[in-house]
């Protein structure tokens, strides 16, 4: 069973270029309503940044090289370098996110989970099968399961928590143990896995694929999106939360000034300047909302759209496998 029969979407306006799911040719039992908030219009400054971003993406495919923050490195080295960053910040993951977003990431994640509104409905015959990629800390995975239980009394749906970094997964397991929930739970599997390949996840086996603040660290983002499409069942949902491009030039200037302070704050709070410097640069390198939307469509998803949060500081992106 795909997620069509089990998930209802919530939202406001529809972003340009996306379609209501009701317009797709699907059986009545598989219809969902889809509406989303519109993104902000582009400015000349934003267009310029988008051109630079597109150029960076093109460069990443040249000669087996890619970007690691502001550095250009061999593709086969990036995963190790990113792994070092997250091993460094694993024990202070929440502190890291609080510093980078002034604590607003907690509101973004809560909205992300509520908007998806996923869980096995009382009249559904099968549970949902979730996969949360780059989700080692467990905050999104556990939040999704909590939401499903609280709203739909769903205690059957399963969750794969996947991360390429064992240190991050250990933090997730530690969190589960401290909460007294989802630790040694047969419904929850922690798996060390490269999100670009997910070689241990069967094709067409998942109903919901989520990734939060992780896909920008992939060496090959398009490959990761293609893999997301592979592991989802027909009717399955791809759902992503990621830092993005601010489209209001005044707000963007303030944000860029704030970003310059983040490595210094990282040094003060977590004694780790370099990791925070990379994280800031990885945000700057990530494609714009519309560029990333195009990449999701290229992977084969339909009804692709996005919702900007906090002026576009981050955005929720989605697509449906049909």
């Amino acid at each position: 069973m795909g997620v069509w029969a089990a998930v209802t979407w919530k939202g406001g306006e529809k972003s340009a270029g996306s379609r209501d799911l009701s317009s797709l040719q699907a059986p009545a039992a598989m219809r969902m309503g889809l509406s989303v908030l519109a993104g902000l219009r582009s400015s000349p400054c934003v267009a310029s940044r988008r051109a630079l971003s597109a150029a960076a993406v093109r460069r990443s495919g040249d000669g087996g090289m890619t970007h690691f923050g502001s550095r250009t490195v061999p593709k086969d080295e990036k995963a190790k370098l990113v792994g070092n960053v997250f091993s460094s910040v694993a024990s202070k993951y929440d502190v890291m996110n609080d510093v980078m977003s002034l604590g607003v990431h907690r509101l973004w994640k809560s909205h992300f989970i509520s908007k998806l509104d996923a869980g096995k409905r009382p009249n559904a015959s099968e549970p949902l099968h979730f996969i949360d990629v780059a989700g080692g800390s467990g905050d999104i995975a556990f939040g999704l399961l909590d939401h499903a239980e609280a709203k739909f009394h769903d205690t059957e749906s399963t969750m794969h928590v996947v991360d390429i970094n064992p240190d991050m997964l250990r933090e997730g397991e530690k969190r589960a143990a401290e909460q007294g929930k989802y630790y040694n739970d047969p419904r929850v599997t922690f798996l060390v896995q490269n999100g670009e390949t997910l070689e241990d996840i069967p094709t067409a086996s998942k109903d919901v694929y989520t990734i939060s603040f992780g896909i920008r660290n992939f060496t090959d983002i398009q490959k990761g999106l293609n893999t997301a499409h592979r592991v989802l069942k027909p009717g399955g949902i791809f759902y992503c939360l990621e830092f993005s491009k601010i489209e209001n030039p005044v707000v963007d200037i303030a944000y860029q000034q704030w970003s310059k302070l983040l490595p210094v704050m990282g040094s003060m709070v977590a004694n780790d300047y370099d990791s925070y410097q990379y994280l800031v640069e990885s945000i700057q390198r990530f494609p714009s909302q519309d560029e990333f939307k195009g990449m999701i469509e290229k992977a084969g998803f339909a009804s692709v759209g996005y919702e900007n949060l906090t002026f576009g500081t981050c955005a929720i992106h989605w697509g449906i496998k049909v």
Side-chain angles (χ1 to χ4, degrees):
M1 177 186 72
V3 75
W4 290 85
V7 178
T8 302
W9 286 66
K10 302 186 296 183
E13 294 179 38
K14 183 174 57 175
S15 65
S18 66
R19 293 180 293 155
D20 289 337
L21 292 187
S22 58
S23 69
L24 298 177
Q25 298 301 313
M30 297 173 66
R31 292 175 186 161
M32 293 189 302
L34 173 63
S35 55
V36 300
L37 298 179
L40 299 175
R41 293 184 176 179
S42 299
S43 68
C45 293
V46 171
S48 176
R49 287 203 314 276
R50 285 176 174 170
L52 290 172
S53 177
V57 172
R58 289 193 297 272
R59 286 197 302 272
S60 71
D62 294 341
M65 304 298 286
T66 188
H67 59 78
F68 176 73
S70 60
R71 295 164 51 194
T72 300
V73 299
K75 283 186 174 181
D76 57 5
E77 290 184 12
K78 181 171 179 177
K80 180 180 178 181
L81 293 169
V82 171
N84 291 339
V85 168
F86 281 91
S87 290
S88 176
V89 303
S91 63
K92 296 181 175 66
Y93 181 75
D94 286 332
V95 174
M96 177 194 75
N97 284 332
D98 284 332
V99 169
M100 295 188 71
S101 70
L102 293 176
V104 181
H105 75 99
R106 300 175 188 272
L107 298 177
W108 293 337
K109 290 174 179 177
S110 178
H111 178 65
F112 179 76
I113 291 167
S114 297
K115 184 180 179 69
L116 179 58
D117 200 29
K120 178 189 174 186
R121 278 16 182 200
N123 61 348
S125 60
E126 299 178 22
L128 293 177
H129 299 293
F130 292 88
I131 181 169
D132 187 44
V133 178
S137 68
D139 53 351
I140 293 294
F142 303 156
L144 287 166
L145 293 175
D146 286 345
H147 178 91
E149 180 178 2
K151 186 165 182 180
F152 305 111
H153 309 291
D154 175 11
T155 58
E156 299 178 44
S157 292
T158 67
M159 174 69 71
H160 260 95
V161 185
V162 175
D163 204 294
I164 196 172
N165 190 301
D167 293 320
M168 288 297 296
L169 282 173
R170 279 191 286 271
E171 287 300 313
E173 291 176 316
K174 178 181 176 182
R175 177 175 293 184
E178 290 173 348
Q179 293 177 351
K181 195 174 184 180
Y182 306 127
Y183 186 71
N184 288 333
D185 185 332
R187 296 191 302 140
V188 179
T189 301
F190 291 87
L191 181 65
V192 176
Q193 195 93 140
N194 187 329
E196 294 179 23
T197 56
L198 297 178
E199 59 268 19
D200 292 335
I201 304 298
T203 296
S205 63
K206 298 299 180 182
D207 297 290
V208 181
Y209 174 115
T210 56
I211 184 166
S212 173
F213 301 122
I215 202 164
R216 75 180 187 278
N217 298 304
F218 283 15
T219 301
D220 189 333
I221 294 172
Q222 189 65 59
K223 185 176 180 181
L225 292 170
N226 295 344
T227 295
H229 189 272
R230 176 185 67 79
V231 303
L232 282 169
K233 300 176 184 178
I237 295 177
F238 167 81
Y239 204 60
C240 173
L241 178 65
E242 188 53 86
F243 286 109
S244 199
K245 305 298 184 190
I246 296 176
E247 297 189 324
N248 182 306
V250 176
V251 176
D252 186 50
I253 289 172
Y255 180 73
Q256 295 306 321
Q257 294 304 309
W258 164 248
S259 295
K260 293 177 181 178
L261 298 176
L262 291 178
V264 177
M265 295 183 66
S267 180
M268 295 170 59
V269 173
N271 194 31
D272 191 341
Y273 181 96
D274 291 341
S275 292
Y276 283 78
Q277 181 66 29
Y278 160 72
L279 291 168
V280 169
E281 291 170 348
S282 70
I283 293 169
Q284 294 170 342
R285 290 274 187 169
F286 192 69
S288 71
Q289 290 89 321
D290 287 331
E291 288 172 340
F292 189 51
K293 177 176 179 285
M295 295 173 72
I296 298 170
E297 291 171 332
K298 183 178 179 180
F301 289 100
S303 295
V304 177
Y306 63 84
E307 176 189 354
N308 281 329
L309 304 180
T310 316
F311 303 103
T313 304
C314 73
I316 299 173
H317 293 263
W318 59 83
I320 309 298
K321 180 176 178 178
V322 294

